[in-house]
């Protein structure tokens, strides 16, 4: 199967700083990647769709200036949590679909546990 | 609109018990159906999938059959182990990827 690698797996940062999370498709090209947020014991909430070479598409209620997404290549998307606050602490997961079609099998990164202190 | 509804948890079973987690879907056309598993502190891993009606996906003793007539894809395992403790997500593809809310399973020795 395809591999999606997410880095870092966990990060602790001070309130007010920014944190960058990387999502890489290791053995396939992904024109589209997806970023999810997961609260404890809850399902995944789609935050945004990352599109290679163009702006990301954000879901309703997600602040695009807070969660900056860059998809500069066919194998890398980054999520930057800007001016992080404790309420941004969460588990963030990315996914990608082979060929980019969102209606096909999703391959997930390992997730990033962000703790803002 | 398209959606996935799965049995709410948490589910607690004794080792070697039979497991069923219900999942039904609403989708236009003929979606592919998936079960993903999430172990504590990790991302989601594909457990099994089925791409057309009457297909049976299976892996690690888990099975699910794509039932178009009942729009269901229930997950079953005949004898669960402690290592099966995780959160299980049902998912379907429509014009995008849809997840159920997840079902937490705890297997006790």
């Amino acid at each position: 199967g395809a591999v999606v690698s997410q880095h870092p797996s966990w990060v602790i940062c001070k309130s007010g700083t920014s944190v960058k999370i990387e999502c890489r498709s290791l053995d396939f090209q992904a024109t589209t990647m997806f970023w999810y947020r997961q609260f404890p014991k809850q399902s995944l909430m789609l935050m945004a769709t990352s599109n290679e070479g163009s702006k990301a598409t954000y879901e309703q209620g997600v602040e695009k200036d807070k969660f900056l997404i860059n998809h500069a290549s066919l194998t890398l998307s980054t999520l930057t949590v800007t001016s992080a606050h404790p309420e941004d602490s969460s588990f963030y997961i990315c996914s990608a679909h082979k060929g980019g079609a969102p209606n096909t099998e999703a391959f997930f990164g390992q997730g990033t546990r962000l703790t803002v202190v | 609109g398209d959606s996935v509804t799965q049995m709410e948890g948490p589910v607690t079973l004794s080792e070697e018990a039979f497991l069923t987690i219900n999942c039904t879907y609403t989708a236009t056309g003929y979606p592919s159906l998936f079960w993903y598993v999430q172990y504590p502190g990790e991302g989601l891993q594909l457990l099994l999938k089925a791409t057309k009606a009457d297909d049976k996906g299976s892996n690690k003793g888990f099975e699910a059959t794509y039932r178009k007539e009942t729009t269901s894809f229930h997950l079953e395992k005949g004898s669960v182990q402690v290592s099966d403790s995780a959160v299980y997500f049902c998912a379907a593809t429509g014009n995008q990827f849809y997840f159920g809310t997840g079902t937490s399973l705890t297997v006790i020795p």
Side-chain angles (χ1 to χ4, degrees), chain A residues 77-113:
Chain A
S77 174
T78 61
L79 168 68
T80 301
V81 182
T82 63
S83 186
H85 288 91
E87 58 265 30
D88 299 324
S89 299
S90 193
F91 194 60
Y92 294 87
I93 306 175
C94 70
S95 75
H97 300 249
K98 271 187 172 179
N103 59 350
T104 58
E105 178 181 344
F107 297 93
F108 289 87
Q110 305 94 319
T112 298
R113 170 74 60 195

PDB file of all heavy atoms in Angstrom, chain A residues 77-113:
ATOM      1  N   SER A  77       2.686  18.510   1.746  1.00  0.00           N
ATOM      2  CA  SER A  77       1.780  19.555   2.202  1.00  0.00           C
ATOM      3  C   SER A  77       2.173  19.893   3.632  1.00  0.00           C
ATOM      4  O   SER A  77       2.554  19.007   4.398  1.00  0.00           O
ATOM      5  CB  SER A  77       0.332  19.083   2.161  1.00  0.00           C
ATOM      6  OG  SER A  77      -0.545  20.048   2.735  1.00  0.00           O
ATOM      7  N   THR A  78       2.099  21.162   3.977  1.00  0.00           N
ATOM      8  CA  THR A  78       2.413  21.577   5.339  1.00  0.00           C
ATOM      9  C   THR A  78       1.243  22.335   5.941  1.00  0.00           C
ATOM     10  O   THR A  78       0.541  23.088   5.252  1.00  0.00           O
ATOM     11  CB  THR A  78       3.674  22.456   5.396  1.00  0.00           C
ATOM     12  OG1 THR A  78       3.464  23.635   4.617  1.00  0.00           O
ATOM     13  CG2 THR A  78       4.887  21.712   4.873  1.00  0.00           C
ATOM     14  N   LEU A  79       1.068  22.117   7.228  1.00  0.00           N
ATOM     15  CA  LEU A  79       0.068  22.845   8.011  1.00  0.00           C
ATOM     16  C   LEU A  79       0.817  23.615   9.081  1.00  0.00           C
ATOM     17  O   LEU A  79       1.552  23.017   9.866  1.00  0.00           O
ATOM     18  CB  LEU A  79      -0.917  21.865   8.656  1.00  0.00           C
ATOM     19  CG  LEU A  79      -1.850  22.439   9.727  1.00  0.00           C
ATOM     20  CD1 LEU A  79      -2.857  23.404   9.109  1.00  0.00           C
ATOM     21  CD2 LEU A  79      -2.587  21.315  10.453  1.00  0.00           C
ATOM     22  N   THR A  80       0.661  24.921   9.092  1.00  0.00           N
ATOM     23  CA  THR A  80       1.284  25.750  10.108  1.00  0.00           C
ATOM     24  C   THR A  80       0.208  26.321  11.015  1.00  0.00           C
ATOM     25  O   THR A  80      -0.690  27.024  10.536  1.00  0.00           O
ATOM     26  CB  THR A  80       2.097  26.895   9.482  1.00  0.00           C
ATOM     27  OG1 THR A  80       3.110  26.334   8.626  1.00  0.00           O
ATOM     28  CG2 THR A  80       2.769  27.726  10.561  1.00  0.00           C
ATOM     29  N   VAL A  81       0.324  26.005  12.277  1.00  0.00           N
ATOM     30  CA  VAL A  81      -0.587  26.580  13.271  1.00  0.00           C
ATOM     31  C   VAL A  81       0.083  27.863  13.760  1.00  0.00           C
ATOM     32  O   VAL A  81       1.134  27.812  14.413  1.00  0.00           O
ATOM     33  CB  VAL A  81      -0.833  25.607  14.435  1.00  0.00           C
ATOM     34  CG1 VAL A  81      -1.820  26.198  15.423  1.00  0.00           C
ATOM     35  CG2 VAL A  81      -1.318  24.264  13.914  1.00  0.00           C
ATOM     36  N   THR A  82      -0.491  28.980  13.427  1.00  0.00           N
ATOM     37  CA  THR A  82       0.133  30.255  13.758  1.00  0.00           C
ATOM     38  C   THR A  82      -0.372  30.776  15.092  1.00  0.00           C
ATOM     39  O   THR A  82      -1.531  30.558  15.463  1.00  0.00           O
ATOM     40  CB  THR A  82      -0.154  31.301  12.664  1.00  0.00           C
ATOM     41  OG1 THR A  82      -1.569  31.517  12.612  1.00  0.00           O
ATOM     42  CG2 THR A  82       0.337  30.815  11.317  1.00  0.00           C
ATOM     43  N   SER A  83       0.517  31.437  15.816  1.00  0.00           N
ATOM     44  CA  SER A  83       0.169  32.016  17.114  1.00  0.00           C
ATOM     45  C   SER A  83      -0.675  31.027  17.924  1.00  0.00           C
ATOM     46  O   SER A  83      -1.828  31.307  18.278  1.00  0.00           O
ATOM     47  CB  SER A  83      -0.587  33.329  16.911  1.00  0.00           C
ATOM     48  OG  SER A  83      -0.805  33.965  18.147  1.00  0.00           O
ATOM     49  N   ALA A  84      -0.068  29.899  18.161  1.00  0.00           N
ATOM     50  CA  ALA A  84      -0.815  28.810  18.801  1.00  0.00           C
ATOM     51  C   ALA A  84      -1.235  29.177  20.220  1.00  0.00           C
ATOM     52  O   ALA A  84      -0.522  29.873  20.941  1.00  0.00           O
ATOM     53  CB  ALA A  84       0.050  27.558  18.806  1.00  0.00           C
ATOM     54  N   HIS A  85      -2.393  28.677  20.589  1.00  0.00           N
ATOM     55  CA  HIS A  85      -2.914  28.849  21.939  1.00  0.00           C
ATOM     56  C   HIS A  85      -3.319  27.484  22.486  1.00  0.00           C
ATOM     57  O   HIS A  85      -3.498  26.534  21.716  1.00  0.00           O
ATOM     58  CB  HIS A  85      -4.095  29.816  21.936  1.00  0.00           C
ATOM     59  CG  HIS A  85      -3.695  31.232  21.701  1.00  0.00           C
ATOM     60  ND1 HIS A  85      -3.633  31.787  20.435  1.00  0.00           N
ATOM     61  CD2 HIS A  85      -3.286  32.199  22.553  1.00  0.00           C
ATOM     62  CE1 HIS A  85      -3.227  33.031  20.532  1.00  0.00           C
ATOM     63  NE2 HIS A  85      -3.001  33.316  21.795  1.00  0.00           N
ATOM     64  N   PRO A  86      -3.484  27.387  23.774  1.00  0.00           N
ATOM     65  CA  PRO A  86      -3.823  26.080  24.368  1.00  0.00           C
ATOM     66  C   PRO A  86      -5.031  25.407  23.727  1.00  0.00           C
ATOM     67  O   PRO A  86      -5.063  24.184  23.622  1.00  0.00           O
ATOM     68  CB  PRO A  86      -4.073  26.430  25.831  1.00  0.00           C
ATOM     69  CG  PRO A  86      -3.158  27.589  26.094  1.00  0.00           C
ATOM     70  CD  PRO A  86      -3.191  28.387  24.825  1.00  0.00           C
ATOM     71  N   GLU A  87      -5.986  26.177  23.264  1.00  0.00           N
ATOM     72  CA  GLU A  87      -7.169  25.560  22.643  1.00  0.00           C
ATOM     73  C   GLU A  87      -6.861  24.939  21.288  1.00  0.00           C
ATOM     74  O   GLU A  87      -7.701  24.211  20.727  1.00  0.00           O
ATOM     75  CB  GLU A  87      -8.302  26.583  22.495  1.00  0.00           C
ATOM     76  CG  GLU A  87      -7.953  27.805  21.690  1.00  0.00           C
ATOM     77  CD  GLU A  87      -7.499  28.963  22.568  1.00  0.00           C
ATOM     78  OE1 GLU A  87      -6.928  28.712  23.654  1.00  0.00           O
ATOM     79  OE2 GLU A  87      -7.724  30.122  22.160  1.00  0.00           O
ATOM     80  N   ASP A  88      -5.678  25.205  20.761  1.00  0.00           N
ATOM     81  CA  ASP A  88      -5.261  24.560  19.505  1.00  0.00           C
ATOM     82  C   ASP A  88      -4.652  23.184  19.762  1.00  0.00           C
ATOM     83  O   ASP A  88      -4.367  22.452  18.800  1.00  0.00           O
ATOM     84  CB  ASP A  88      -4.242  25.432  18.762  1.00  0.00           C
ATOM     85  CG  ASP A  88      -4.817  26.784  18.381  1.00  0.00           C
ATOM     86  OD1 ASP A  88      -6.010  26.844  18.040  1.00  0.00           O
ATOM     87  OD2 ASP A  88      -4.070  27.787  18.441  1.00  0.00           O
ATOM     88  N   SER A  89      -4.433  22.876  21.015  1.00  0.00           N
ATOM     89  CA  SER A  89      -3.891  21.559  21.350  1.00  0.00           C
ATOM     90  C   SER A  89      -4.843  20.482  20.850  1.00  0.00           C
ATOM     91  O   SER A  89      -6.045  20.521  21.138  1.00  0.00           O
ATOM     92  CB  SER A  89      -3.707  21.427  22.865  1.00  0.00           C
ATOM     93  OG  SER A  89      -2.795  22.384  23.348  1.00  0.00           O
ATOM     94  N   SER A  90      -4.304  19.553  20.107  1.00  0.00           N
ATOM     95  CA  SER A  90      -5.157  18.537  19.488  1.00  0.00           C
ATOM     96  C   SER A  90      -4.273  17.518  18.769  1.00  0.00           C
ATOM     97  O   SER A  90      -3.053  17.627  18.775  1.00  0.00           O
ATOM     98  CB  SER A  90      -6.117  19.196  18.492  1.00  0.00           C
ATOM     99  OG  SER A  90      -7.135  18.322  18.083  1.00  0.00           O
ATOM    100  N   PHE A  91      -4.923  16.560  18.149  1.00  0.00           N
ATOM    101  CA  PHE A  91      -4.250  15.570  17.308  1.00  0.00           C
ATOM    102  C   PHE A  91      -4.597  15.930  15.870  1.00  0.00           C
ATOM    103  O   PHE A  91      -5.761  15.984  15.506  1.00  0.00           O
ATOM    104  CB  PHE A  91      -4.753  14.171  17.675  1.00  0.00           C
ATOM    105  CG  PHE A  91      -3.931  13.043  17.144  1.00  0.00           C
ATOM    106  CD1 PHE A  91      -2.594  12.916  17.489  1.00  0.00           C
ATOM    107  CD2 PHE A  91      -4.483  12.079  16.310  1.00  0.00           C
ATOM    108  CE1 PHE A  91      -1.826  11.862  17.014  1.00  0.00           C
ATOM    109  CE2 PHE A  91      -3.726  11.015  15.832  1.00  0.00           C
ATOM    110  CZ  PHE A  91      -2.397  10.905  16.191  1.00  0.00           C
ATOM    111  N   TYR A  92      -3.575  16.174  15.072  1.00  0.00           N
ATOM    112  CA  TYR A  92      -3.778  16.575  13.681  1.00  0.00           C
ATOM    113  C   TYR A  92      -3.324  15.435  12.780  1.00  0.00           C
ATOM    114  O   TYR A  92      -2.246  14.869  12.963  1.00  0.00           O
ATOM    115  CB  TYR A  92      -2.989  17.846  13.352  1.00  0.00           C
ATOM    116  CG  TYR A  92      -3.487  19.050  14.108  1.00  0.00           C
ATOM    117  CD1 TYR A  92      -3.016  19.353  15.381  1.00  0.00           C
ATOM    118  CD2 TYR A  92      -4.457  19.888  13.558  1.00  0.00           C
ATOM    119  CE1 TYR A  92      -3.492  20.445  16.087  1.00  0.00           C
ATOM    120  CE2 TYR A  92      -4.938  20.991  14.248  1.00  0.00           C
ATOM    121  CZ  TYR A  92      -4.447  21.257  15.521  1.00  0.00           C
ATOM    122  OH  TYR A  92      -4.928  22.346  16.213  1.00  0.00           O
ATOM    123  N   ILE A  93      -4.151  15.104  11.807  1.00  0.00           N
ATOM    124  CA  ILE A  93      -3.870  13.981  10.914  1.00  0.00           C
ATOM    125  C   ILE A  93      -4.029  14.426   9.465  1.00  0.00           C
ATOM    126  O   ILE A  93      -4.989  15.146   9.142  1.00  0.00           O
ATOM    127  CB  ILE A  93      -4.822  12.790  11.165  1.00  0.00           C
ATOM    128  CG1 ILE A  93      -4.793  12.369  12.631  1.00  0.00           C
ATOM    129  CG2 ILE A  93      -4.471  11.610  10.280  1.00  0.00           C
ATOM    130  CD1 ILE A  93      -5.801  11.281  12.951  1.00  0.00           C
ATOM    131  N   CYS A  94      -3.112  13.992   8.626  1.00  0.00           N
ATOM    132  CA  CYS A  94      -3.247  14.281   7.201  1.00  0.00           C
ATOM    133  C   CYS A  94      -3.545  12.992   6.453  1.00  0.00           C
ATOM    134  O   CYS A  94      -3.291  11.888   6.942  1.00  0.00           O
ATOM    135  CB  CYS A  94      -1.987  14.930   6.648  1.00  0.00           C
ATOM    136  SG  CYS A  94      -0.565  13.827   6.557  1.00  0.00           S
ATOM    137  N   SER A  95      -4.097  13.144   5.272  1.00  0.00           N
ATOM    138  CA  SER A  95      -4.329  11.984   4.421  1.00  0.00           C
ATOM    139  C   SER A  95      -4.152  12.379   2.968  1.00  0.00           C
ATOM    140  O   SER A  95      -4.209  13.556   2.615  1.00  0.00           O
ATOM    141  CB  SER A  95      -5.724  11.388   4.632  1.00  0.00           C
ATOM    142  OG  SER A  95      -6.710  12.193   4.022  1.00  0.00           O
ATOM    143  N   ALA A  96      -3.940  11.383   2.160  1.00  0.00           N
ATOM    144  CA  ALA A  96      -3.811  11.600   0.726  1.00  0.00           C
ATOM    145  C   ALA A  96      -4.437  10.422   0.001  1.00  0.00           C
ATOM    146  O   ALA A  96      -4.547   9.321   0.543  1.00  0.00           O
ATOM    147  CB  ALA A  96      -2.338  11.745   0.334  1.00  0.00           C
ATOM    148  N   HIS A  97      -4.848  10.693  -1.215  1.00  0.00           N
ATOM    149  CA  HIS A  97      -5.450   9.651  -2.042  1.00  0.00           C
ATOM    150  C   HIS A  97      -4.598   9.487  -3.292  1.00  0.00           C
ATOM    151  O   HIS A  97      -4.210  10.464  -3.907  1.00  0.00           O
ATOM    152  CB  HIS A  97      -6.873  10.032  -2.456  1.00  0.00           C
ATOM    153  CG  HIS A  97      -7.789  10.239  -1.297  1.00  0.00           C
ATOM    154  ND1 HIS A  97      -8.832   9.392  -1.012  1.00  0.00           N
ATOM    155  CD2 HIS A  97      -7.819  11.186  -0.335  1.00  0.00           C
ATOM    156  CE1 HIS A  97      -9.460   9.821   0.063  1.00  0.00           C
ATOM    157  NE2 HIS A  97      -8.871  10.907   0.494  1.00  0.00           N
ATOM    158  N   LYS A  98      -4.332   8.276  -3.679  1.00  0.00           N
ATOM    159  CA  LYS A  98      -3.569   8.039  -4.895  1.00  0.00           C
ATOM    160  C   LYS A  98      -4.307   8.625  -6.082  1.00  0.00           C
ATOM    161  O   LYS A  98      -5.506   8.423  -6.224  1.00  0.00           O
ATOM    162  CB  LYS A  98      -3.359   6.543  -5.118  1.00  0.00           C
ATOM    163  CG  LYS A  98      -2.124   5.986  -4.458  1.00  0.00           C
ATOM    164  CD  LYS A  98      -1.914   4.546  -4.881  1.00  0.00           C
ATOM    165  CE  LYS A  98      -0.592   4.045  -4.392  1.00  0.00           C
ATOM    166  NZ  LYS A  98      -0.356   2.635  -4.757  1.00  0.00           N
ATOM    167  N   GLY A  99      -3.593   9.354  -6.883  1.00  0.00           N
ATOM    168  CA  GLY A  99      -4.221   9.971  -8.043  1.00  0.00           C
ATOM    169  C   GLY A  99      -4.987  11.224  -7.704  1.00  0.00           C
ATOM    170  O   GLY A  99      -5.490  11.902  -8.590  1.00  0.00           O
ATOM    171  N   GLY A 100      -5.100  11.503  -6.419  1.00  0.00           N
ATOM    172  CA  GLY A 100      -5.727  12.751  -6.003  1.00  0.00           C
ATOM    173  C   GLY A 100      -7.224  12.695  -5.859  1.00  0.00           C
ATOM    174  O   GLY A 100      -7.834  13.580  -5.273  1.00  0.00           O
ATOM    175  N   ALA A 101      -7.865  11.649  -6.358  1.00  0.00           N
ATOM    176  CA  ALA A 101      -9.323  11.598  -6.308  1.00  0.00           C
ATOM    177  C   ALA A 101      -9.791  11.363  -4.881  1.00  0.00           C
ATOM    178  O   ALA A 101      -9.407  10.378  -4.260  1.00  0.00           O
ATOM    179  CB  ALA A 101      -9.833  10.483  -7.215  1.00  0.00           C
ATOM    180  N   PRO A 102     -10.623  12.245  -4.339  1.00  0.00           N
ATOM    181  CA  PRO A 102     -11.046  12.111  -2.947  1.00  0.00           C
ATOM    182  C   PRO A 102     -12.027  10.973  -2.734  1.00  0.00           C
ATOM    183  O   PRO A 102     -12.380  10.679  -1.596  1.00  0.00           O
ATOM    184  CB  PRO A 102     -11.700  13.471  -2.661  1.00  0.00           C
ATOM    185  CG  PRO A 102     -12.171  13.943  -3.981  1.00  0.00           C
ATOM    186  CD  PRO A 102     -11.158  13.452  -4.980  1.00  0.00           C
ATOM    187  N   ASN A 103     -12.494  10.331  -3.776  1.00  0.00           N
ATOM    188  CA  ASN A 103     -13.452   9.254  -3.581  1.00  0.00           C
ATOM    189  C   ASN A 103     -12.788   7.886  -3.689  1.00  0.00           C
ATOM    190  O   ASN A 103     -13.421   6.894  -4.016  1.00  0.00           O
ATOM    191  CB  ASN A 103     -14.588   9.375  -4.594  1.00  0.00           C
ATOM    192  CG  ASN A 103     -14.088   9.322  -6.018  1.00  0.00           C
ATOM    193  OD1 ASN A 103     -12.886   9.375  -6.257  1.00  0.00           O
ATOM    194  ND2 ASN A 103     -14.991   9.195  -6.962  1.00  0.00           N
ATOM    195  N   THR A 104     -11.507   7.856  -3.428  1.00  0.00           N
ATOM    196  CA  THR A 104     -10.770   6.587  -3.417  1.00  0.00           C
ATOM    197  C   THR A 104     -10.156   6.371  -2.038  1.00  0.00           C
ATOM    198  O   THR A 104     -10.240   7.224  -1.168  1.00  0.00           O
ATOM    199  CB  THR A 104      -9.665   6.577  -4.482  1.00  0.00           C
ATOM    200  OG1 THR A 104      -8.779   7.677  -4.228  1.00  0.00           O
ATOM    201  CG2 THR A 104     -10.252   6.723  -5.875  1.00  0.00           C
ATOM    202  N   GLU A 105      -9.522   5.224  -1.878  1.00  0.00           N
ATOM    203  CA  GLU A 105      -8.956   4.876  -0.576  1.00  0.00           C
ATOM    204  C   GLU A 105      -8.045   5.970  -0.057  1.00  0.00           C
ATOM    205  O   GLU A 105      -7.232   6.515  -0.800  1.00  0.00           O
ATOM    206  CB  GLU A 105      -8.177   3.575  -0.698  1.00  0.00           C
ATOM    207  CG  GLU A 105      -7.496   3.109   0.567  1.00  0.00           C
ATOM    208  CD  GLU A 105      -6.725   1.832   0.346  1.00  0.00           C
ATOM    209  OE1 GLU A 105      -6.962   1.163  -0.675  1.00  0.00           O
ATOM    210  OE2 GLU A 105      -5.862   1.518   1.183  1.00  0.00           O
ATOM    211  N   ALA A 106      -8.175   6.277   1.219  1.00  0.00           N
ATOM    212  CA  ALA A 106      -7.339   7.295   1.852  1.00  0.00           C
ATOM    213  C   ALA A 106      -6.188   6.642   2.595  1.00  0.00           C
ATOM    214  O   ALA A 106      -6.355   5.610   3.237  1.00  0.00           O
ATOM    215  CB  ALA A 106      -8.173   8.125   2.829  1.00  0.00           C
ATOM    216  N   PHE A 107      -5.027   7.250   2.485  1.00  0.00           N
ATOM    217  CA  PHE A 107      -3.843   6.810   3.225  1.00  0.00           C
ATOM    218  C   PHE A 107      -3.500   7.911   4.221  1.00  0.00           C
ATOM    219  O   PHE A 107      -3.404   9.084   3.850  1.00  0.00           O
ATOM    220  CB  PHE A 107      -2.681   6.547   2.267  1.00  0.00           C
ATOM    221  CG  PHE A 107      -2.978   5.441   1.295  1.00  0.00           C
ATOM    222  CD1 PHE A 107      -3.519   5.718   0.051  1.00  0.00           C
ATOM    223  CD2 PHE A 107      -2.729   4.124   1.630  1.00  0.00           C
ATOM    224  CE1 PHE A 107      -3.814   4.704  -0.848  1.00  0.00           C
ATOM    225  CE2 PHE A 107      -3.015   3.109   0.744  1.00  0.00           C
ATOM    226  CZ  PHE A 107      -3.564   3.391  -0.499  1.00  0.00           C
ATOM    227  N   PHE A 108      -3.310   7.515   5.468  1.00  0.00           N
ATOM    228  CA  PHE A 108      -3.163   8.490   6.529  1.00  0.00           C
ATOM    229  C   PHE A 108      -1.738   8.577   7.050  1.00  0.00           C
ATOM    230  O   PHE A 108      -1.004   7.572   7.093  1.00  0.00           O
ATOM    231  CB  PHE A 108      -4.081   8.130   7.696  1.00  0.00           C
ATOM    232  CG  PHE A 108      -5.534   8.357   7.396  1.00  0.00           C
ATOM    233  CD1 PHE A 108      -6.279   7.373   6.783  1.00  0.00           C
ATOM    234  CD2 PHE A 108      -6.140   9.557   7.730  1.00  0.00           C
ATOM    235  CE1 PHE A 108      -7.621   7.581   6.484  1.00  0.00           C
ATOM    236  CE2 PHE A 108      -7.472   9.769   7.443  1.00  0.00           C
ATOM    237  CZ  PHE A 108      -8.214   8.780   6.819  1.00  0.00           C
ATOM    238  N   GLY A 109      -1.382   9.772   7.468  1.00  0.00           N
ATOM    239  CA  GLY A 109      -0.157   9.944   8.219  1.00  0.00           C
ATOM    240  C   GLY A 109      -0.350   9.427   9.636  1.00  0.00           C
ATOM    241  O   GLY A 109      -1.452   9.047  10.038  1.00  0.00           O
ATOM    242  N   GLN A 110       0.741   9.407  10.374  1.00  0.00           N
ATOM    243  CA  GLN A 110       0.718   8.842  11.718  1.00  0.00           C
ATOM    244  C   GLN A 110       0.065   9.784  12.726  1.00  0.00           C
ATOM    245  O   GLN A 110      -0.224   9.392  13.848  1.00  0.00           O
ATOM    246  CB  GLN A 110       2.143   8.535  12.195  1.00  0.00           C
ATOM    247  CG  GLN A 110       2.917   7.631  11.264  1.00  0.00           C
ATOM    248  CD  GLN A 110       3.767   8.429  10.277  1.00  0.00           C
ATOM    249  OE1 GLN A 110       3.326   9.450   9.732  1.00  0.00           O
ATOM    250  NE2 GLN A 110       4.986   7.965  10.035  1.00  0.00           N
ATOM    251  N   GLY A 111      -0.156  11.012  12.317  1.00  0.00           N
ATOM    252  CA  GLY A 111      -0.751  11.980  13.219  1.00  0.00           C
ATOM    253  C   GLY A 111       0.303  12.768  13.983  1.00  0.00           C
ATOM    254  O   GLY A 111       1.435  12.304  14.183  1.00  0.00           O
ATOM    255  N   THR A 112      -0.073  13.977  14.387  1.00  0.00           N
ATOM    256  CA  THR A 112       0.804  14.839  15.185  1.00  0.00           C
ATOM    257  C   THR A 112       0.039  15.310  16.414  1.00  0.00           C
ATOM    258  O   THR A 112      -1.030  15.914  16.288  1.00  0.00           O
ATOM    259  CB  THR A 112       1.255  16.077  14.374  1.00  0.00           C
ATOM    260  OG1 THR A 112       2.014  15.650  13.244  1.00  0.00           O
ATOM    261  CG2 THR A 112       2.094  17.009  15.241  1.00  0.00           C
ATOM    262  N   ARG A 113       0.597  15.010  17.559  1.00  0.00           N
ATOM    263  CA  ARG A 113      -0.003  15.472  18.815  1.00  0.00           C
ATOM    264  C   ARG A 113       0.598  16.830  19.155  1.00  0.00           C
ATOM    265  O   ARG A 113       1.780  16.935  19.426  1.00  0.00           O
ATOM    266  CB  ARG A 113       0.285  14.481  19.933  1.00  0.00           C
ATOM    267  CG  ARG A 113      -0.083  14.972  21.337  1.00  0.00           C
ATOM    268  CD  ARG A 113      -1.569  14.969  21.533  1.00  0.00           C
ATOM    269  NE  ARG A 113      -2.144  13.640  21.367  1.00  0.00           N
ATOM    270  CZ  ARG A 113      -3.442  13.403  21.208  1.00  0.00           C
ATOM    271  NH1 ARG A 113      -4.293  14.403  21.188  1.00  0.00           N
ATOM    272  NH2 ARG A 113      -3.879  12.172  21.067  1.00  0.00           N
TER     273      ARG A 113
END
